[in-house]
């Protein structure tokens, strides 16, 4: 069996992640040796009695900044040559399914969760390899953002979803939103399952689903289609 994906999350709120991680499919991924998620309490790397992780910004201004010393020590306690050190920040690259796929193929991820107004710039300059944002809004707590990314990444590790999961058809994985899904009963409160899905004709079902996915994406997220076309053009070396 291949080596598990290892993830270390550095935060001042380790308990917040643990509850979620242990209760979800991530608990099973760990039990099956597919992915291991550890939390690291940043305060364990402080040296003063108050276990201080933040301080006032040079130059003044509101809010607090995360101090460099505990963050350097915490990262260096687990970092290996192949580690990716990911800072969760609203200034980062927007998180996408593609990014989740790429991170799921790495060996070791270290997430640094920002809190307060941000981290000392020297952390960013010399420790961080990747910066990720989960959306254009500001959370008080980077641990929440890291949990979102860890969930999206770990479910893509082969074997984690077991029988539940073909991930190739779901929303975003082909650059489109997913087609509509139905299950039993065939008639519910006067609403019927489309005949084509009950026909047993797989080619027709595929065609219907592709059309529905394209139509749904066109209506709800036309930006995804533009992006997809642009990416394909870039891949094929078109310049126009
Ligand atoms: N920390 C605070 N807000 C965030 C966001 N939108 N994405 C990632 N980390 C964050």
């Amino acid at each position: 069996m291949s080596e598990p994906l290892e993830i270390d999350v550095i935060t001042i709120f380790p308990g917040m992640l643990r509850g979620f991680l242990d209760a979800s499919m991530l608990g099973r991924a760990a039990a099956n040796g597919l992915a291991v998620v550890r939390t690291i309490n940043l305060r364990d790397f402080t040296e003063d009695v108050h276990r201080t992780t933040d301080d006032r910004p040079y130059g003044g201004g509101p809010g607090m900044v995360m101090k460099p010393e505990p963050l350097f020590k915490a990262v260096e306690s687990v970092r290996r040559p192949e580690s990716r050190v990911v800072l969760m920040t609203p200034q980062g690259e927007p998180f996408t399914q593609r990014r989740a796929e790429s991170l799921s193929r790495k060996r070791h991820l270290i997430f640094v969760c920002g809190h307060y107004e941000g981290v000392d710039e020297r952390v960013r300059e010399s420790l961080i390899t990747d910066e990720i944002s989960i959306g254009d809004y500001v959370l008080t707590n980077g641990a929440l953002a890291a949990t979102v990314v860890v969930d999206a990444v770990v479910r893509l590790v082969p074997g984690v979803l077991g029988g539940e999961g073909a991930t190739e058809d779901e929303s975003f994985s082909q650059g489109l939103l997913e087609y509509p899904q139905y299950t039993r009963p065939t008639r519910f409160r006067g609403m019927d399952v489309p005949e084509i899905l009950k026909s047993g004709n797989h080619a027709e079902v595929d065609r219907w689903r592709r059309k529905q996915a394209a139509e749904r994406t066109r209506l709800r997220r036309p930006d995804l289609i533009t992006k997809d076309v642009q990416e394909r053009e870039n891949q094929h070396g078109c310049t126009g």
Side-chain angles (χ1 to χ4, degrees):
M1 202 165 77
S2 60
E3 294 291 312
L5 167 64
E6 288 182 70
I7 300 179
D8 285 293
V9 185
I10 300 172
T11 168
I12 53 170
F13 299 114
M16 255 182 204
L17 278 111
R18 278 268 60 102
F20 180 81
L21 298 177
D22 295 342
S24 66
M25 51 103 199
L26 301 180
R28 207 175 43 186
N32 296 339
L34 299 167
V36 183
V37 185
R38 293 176 290 254
T39 47
I40 294 178
N41 189 343
L42 183 62
R43 295 200 193 280
D44 292 345
F45 296 86
T46 57
E47 286 183 354
D48 61 315
V49 283
H50 301 296
R51 316 230 293 161
T52 311
T53 57
D54 61 329
D55 205 343
R56 292 185 311 251
Y58 271 109
M64 299 292 270
V65 176
M66 294 184 76
K67 290 165 67 58
E69 307 95 311
L71 282 170
F72 269 77
K73 280 194 198 144
V75 169
E76 285 165 355
S77 75
V78 287
R79 189 172 58 179
R80 313 196 295 246
E82 73 272 22
S83 306
R84 307 296 298 215
V85 186
V86 183
L87 176 67
M88 299 310 303
T89 163
Q91 299 183 24
E93 183 188 319
F95 188 55
T96 59
Q97 190 65 19
R98 184 168 291 208
R99 198 69 204 283
E101 281 158 13
S102 131
L103 291 175
S104 74
R105 290 190 287 268
K106 306 283 184 233
R107 295 287 309 283
H108 184 214
L109 306 175
I110 303 172
F111 286 93
V112 174
C113 304
H115 304 276
Y116 317 112
E117 291 303 306
V119 301
D120 186 288
E121 192 63 19
R122 290 163 291 189
V123 170
R124 199 181 234 126
E125 280 166 3
S126 59
L127 277 184
I128 299 300
T129 60
D130 304 79
E131 298 187 34
I132 294 181
S133 162
I134 63 162
D136 290 340
Y137 41 80
V138 180
L139 303 167
T140 54
N141 185 339
L144 195 53
T147 308
V148 168
V149 173
V150 168
D151 185 272
V153 168
V154 171
R155 69 187 285 284
L156 294 174
V157 171
V160 167
L161 288 188
E164 292 152 32
T167 53
E168 311 85 59
D169 266 5
E170 66 194 9
S171 290
F172 307 116
S173 55
Q174 307 288 333
L176 296 177
L177 300 183
E178 199 187 4
Y179 45 79
Q181 296 275 24
Y182 295 86
T183 185
R184 286 184 291 183
T186 174
R187 168 162 264 245
F188 174 70
R189 297 194 176 182
M191 295 175 282
D192 289 317
V193 174
E195 282 305 319
I196 186 92
L197 296 179
K198 298 183 283 179
S199 68
N201 183 334
H202 296 301
E204 284 297 314
V205 169
D206 277 352
R207 202 189 334 268
W208 183 86
R209 285 181 165 166
R210 276 201 304 273
K211 200 166 152 226
Q212 292 285 326
E215 185 63 3
R216 189 163 267 207
T217 311
R218 191 179 66 76
L219 288 172
R220 297 185 187 190
R221 293 291 307 275
D223 58 301
L224 289 178
I225 297 180
T226 319
K227 201 167 102 188
D228 191 53
V229 169
Q230 273 167 1
E231 278 169 10
R232 276 170 213 265
E233 283 178 0
N234 291 344
Q235 268 167 16
H236 294 106
C238 300
T239 50

